[in-house]
Amino acid sequence: MDATREEIRQRDQNRCARCGKTGPLHVHHRIRRSQGGKDEPENLITLCDPCHRWVHTNPMAARREGLLLARHTDPAAVPVDHVLWPAGPVLLSPGLDFILWADAQ
């Protein structure tokens, strides 16, 4: 399923998934498009401009937070720290849902 930017922003409640700010927002590909990343909900996340820049200038730390993934990774299987879910990391599902990582194990 290809997700639109608006669907991803709605899923993330029009907030940056990393810091919670409300704008201006980018829809970020966890696997970069240049590396074959697709427009699928589990690969897309909403980030504000400063956090989006941070991801690309701090790739190792961004990987630890689940915000940047290697080329052949399944984004649906890698948890991400998300401001809407303070209880812990979540999986982003193809159905535009969140799955608490602790419940998925």
Side-chain angles (χ1 to χ4, degrees):
M1 168 189 158
D2 282 358
T4 66
R5 293 180 189 284
E6 187 56 35
E7 288 172 322
I8 298 305
R9 287 186 181 121
Q10 286 176 6
R11 178 198 65 197
D12 294 337
Q13 296 182 10
N14 289 305
R15 295 187 167 281
C16 174
R18 186 164 184 267
C19 73
K21 290 183 181 173
T22 57
L25 300 171
H26 301 261
V27 175
H28 166 71
H29 288 77
R30 296 169 68 202
I31 299 174
R32 296 175 183 174
R33 285 182 292 178
S34 64
Q35 295 181 333
K38 297 186 166 95
D39 292 334
E40 297 172 338
E42 60 272 28
N43 190 47
L44 300 170
I45 198 159
T46 306
L47 296 173
C48 67
D49 191 55
C51 288
H52 197 204
R53 280 195 313 268
W54 178 87
V55 164
H56 290 289
T57 57
N58 299 281
M60 295 302 287
R63 285 178 202 263
R64 284 192 297 272
E65 292 184 21
L67 297 172
L68 195 61
L69 304 176
R71 178 186 312 244
H72 297 291
T73 305
D74 177 4
V78 179
V80 62
D81 293 333
H82 199 294
V83 73
L84 295 177
W85 291 90
V90 293
L91 297 173
L92 304 177
S93 80
L96 294 166
D97 297 318
F98 297 102
I99 301 166
L100 191 60
W101 175 242
D103 293 343
Q105 296 185 29

